[in-house]
């Protein structure tokens, strides 16, 4: 099956290899000529994986029409901030109906979930019901074929099952679930919690503090997500607890590493001024803070992260304030 992947980043490359291992023909579309050449001529994506050789059947192109030609499945794998523009371009370029898969976690700059902006930007006659391929997964491990379990989340159980079958193999297991709202909020909100986890590690506050942070962070995610219609079961699964754990404890996580740098400096100023990587938790913290304020939802951890990132608050002082809040039942 020909499958188009929009993006040539780390996660796009890892998913392309999963598909190649499963006997499909992925064609990646990217705007970075050096990455396209690296994939086609040297069977690697050195910008993300150094000299690691990837599946030789993976191809890349800078021609969107070529990538989409005769593709049965189109996978969106771009930064959340670029999703709106990419979808509008895709809507113009598509000339047939495809199975559309979102592989991006986060919120848009208008505080929208990924599925919301995708559905509103791409005409219904050009796509089947949207499926989001999300859950606890680091590209650095998937590219090495380490065991991974994620979800195919969609309001259409049938379409989710099709996507799960396309991707699943002995090292990559895909579960089906229908809670689109809860899952998308979970995998986006955990990025902000992961920044807090990195800050705690950077400040050297120990395992007890991080255990408390992750546990209370899960509670915060659940309360926030359920307010918008998410299901409790979702936050105890792969797109809740699972993604929270992998992001809060792994040095593969850009969000954790961002928090680590901020914690070591006990200040976010230098990191924000010099960072050149995509850290989805920065945008997520702003979105959640604004939505929580609007809907009167208590999100103390995310509020503290927002204060550090956007108001110049000192991380150690914000942690002290969190610990000194009025006592209450768990």
């Amino acid at each position: 099956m020909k499958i188009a992947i929009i993006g040539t980043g780390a996660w796009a490359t890892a998913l392309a290899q999963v598909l190649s291992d499963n006997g499909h023909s992925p064609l990646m579309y990217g705007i970075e000529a050096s990455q396209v050449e690296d994939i086609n001529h040297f069977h690697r994506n050195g910008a993300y994986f150094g000299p690691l050789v990837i599946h030789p059947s993976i191809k890349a192109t800078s021609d969107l029409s070529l990538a989409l030609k005769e593709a049965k499945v189109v996978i969106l794998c771009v930064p959340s901030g670029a999703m709106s523009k990419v979808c509008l371009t895709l809507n113009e370029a598509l000339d047939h109906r495809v199975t559309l898969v979102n592989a991006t976690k986060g919120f848009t700059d208008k505080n929208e979930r990924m599925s919301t902006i995708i559905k509103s930007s791409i005409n219904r006659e050009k796509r089947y019901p949207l499926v989001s391929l999300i859950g606890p997964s680091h590209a650095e491990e998937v590219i090495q074929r380490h065991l991974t379990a994620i979800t195919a989340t969609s309001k259409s159980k049938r379409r989710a099952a099709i996507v799960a079958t396309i991707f699943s193999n002995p090292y990559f297991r895909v579960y089906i679930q229908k809670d689109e709202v809860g899952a998308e909020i979970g995998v986006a909100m955990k990025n902000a919690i992961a920044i807090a986890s990195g800050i705690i590690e950077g400040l050297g506050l120990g395992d007890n503090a991080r255990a408390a942070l992750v546990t209370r962070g899960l509670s915060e995610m659940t309360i926030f997500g359920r307010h918008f219609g998410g299901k409790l079961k979702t936050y105890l699964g792969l797109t809740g607890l699972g993604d929270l754990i992998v992001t809060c404890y792994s040095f593969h996580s850009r969000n954790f590493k961002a928090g680590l740098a901020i914690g070591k400096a006990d200040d976010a100023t230098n990191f924000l001024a010099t960072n050149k990587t995509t850290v989805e938790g920065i945008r997520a913290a702003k979105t959640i803070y604004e939505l929580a304020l609007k809907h009167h939802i208590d999100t103390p951890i995310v509020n503290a992260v927002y204060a550090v990132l956007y108001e110049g608050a000192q991380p150690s002082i914000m942690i002290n304030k969190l610990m000194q809040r009025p006592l209450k039942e768990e």
Side-chain angles (χ1 to χ4, degrees), residues 14-76:
L15 290 178
Q17 180 153 279
V18 172
L19 293 169
S20 290
D21 285 347
N22 292 357
H24 299 293
S25 302
L27 179 58
M28 304 174 70
Y29 165 75
I31 58 175
E32 295 290 341
S34 59
Q35 291 177 20
V36 171
E37 183 179 2
D38 208 15
I39 292 166
N40 288 334
H41 296 290
F42 303 104
H43 305 304
R44 67 187 185 194
N45 194 340
Y48 299 98
F49 301 120
L52 181 72
V53 175
I54 60 177
H55 199 292
S57 73
I58 299 172
K59 303 299 180 184
T61 181
S62 295
D63 184 340
L64 181 58
S65 61
L66 179 62
L68 297 176
K69 185 179 180 181
E70 298 181 354
K72 301 293 186 182
V73 178
V74 176
I75 302 167
L76 295 166

Side-chain angles (χ1 to χ4, degrees), residues 6-291:
I6 309 302
T8 52
W11 188 225
T13 306
L15 290 178
Q17 180 153 279
V18 172
L19 293 169
S20 290
D21 285 347
N22 292 357
H24 299 293
S25 302
L27 179 58
M28 304 174 70
Y29 165 75
I31 58 175
E32 295 290 341
S34 59
Q35 291 177 20
V36 171
E37 183 179 2
D38 208 15
I39 292 166
N40 288 334
H41 296 290
F42 303 104
H43 305 304
R44 67 187 185 194
N45 194 340
Y48 299 98
F49 301 120
L52 181 72
V53 175
I54 60 177
H55 199 292
S57 73
I58 299 172
K59 303 299 180 184
T61 181
S62 295
D63 184 340
L64 181 58
S65 61
L66 179 62
L68 297 176
K69 185 179 180 181
E70 298 181 354
K72 301 293 186 182
V73 178
V74 176
I75 302 167
L76 295 166
C77 203
V78 299
S80 61
M83 185 62 78
S84 178
K85 182 179 179 181
V86 167
C87 285
L88 291 173
T89 300
L90 194 61
N91 188 55
E92 291 295 321
L94 274 171
D95 60 5
H96 61 287
R97 202 176 191 192
V98 298
T99 293
L100 202 58
V101 179
N102 165 50
T104 297
K105 305 171 184 178
F107 297 101
T108 71
D109 56 4
K110 295 181 180 178
N111 295 346
E112 296 172 305
R113 292 180 289 109
M114 289 297 102
S115 66
T116 302
I117 192 65
I118 294 168
K119 290 176 184 179
S120 65
S121 301
I122 299 178
N123 297 341
R124 285 189 178 186
E125 63 269 20
K126 295 187 177 184
R127 59 173 175 82
Y128 293 101
L130 178 67
V131 180
S132 290
L133 194 69
I134 48 180
S137 48
H138 287 309
E140 295 86 351
E141 295 189 2
V142 173
I143 200 70
Q144 297 187 66
R145 301 179 175 88
H146 290 181
L147 300 184
T148 302
I150 62 173
T151 73
T153 298
S154 177
K155 291 184 177 181
S156 169
K157 187 175 180 180
R158 178 176 177 272
R159 194 57 46 177
I162 291 171
V163 171
T165 300
I166 290 171
F167 278 93
S168 291
N169 63 31
Y171 69 85
F172 198 81
R173 182 174 176 84
V174 183
Y175 288 84
I176 298 164
Q177 76 136 304
K178 295 182 67 177
D179 184 10
E180 188 175 80
V181 173
E184 286 188 79
I185 288 175
V187 300
M189 189 169 179
K190 55 87 186 181
N191 288 329
I193 306 296
I195 292 176
S197 179
I199 288 172
I200 285 175
E201 178 72 9
L203 288 169
L205 297 181
D207 292 340
N208 292 353
R210 287 179 69 191
L213 181 281
V214 172
T215 306
R216 297 308 303 165
L218 178 61
S219 175
E220 205 163 295
M221 284 169 54
T222 305
I223 291 169
F224 184 87
R226 292 184 72 187
H227 177 87
F228 293 99
K231 309 301 182 185
L232 175 61
K233 180 181 177 182
T234 299
Y235 295 101
L236 299 177
L238 292 169
T239 53
L241 179 61
D243 217 348
L244 182 66
I245 289 173
V246 80
T247 310
C248 284
Y249 282 91
S250 176
F251 281 85
H252 289 314
S253 167
R254 292 178 182 177
N255 296 284
F256 173 79
K257 288 191 290 186
L260 183 67
I262 292 169
K264 286 181 177 180
D266 201 14
D267 184 83
T269 305
N270 184 64
F271 175 82
L272 294 174
T274 59
N275 174 58
K276 297 186 184 302
T277 63
T278 300
V279 180
E280 296 286 4
I282 295 175
R283 183 188 299 274
K286 185 174 185 291
T287 291
I288 295 157
Y289 173 82
E290 291 175 350
L291 289 175

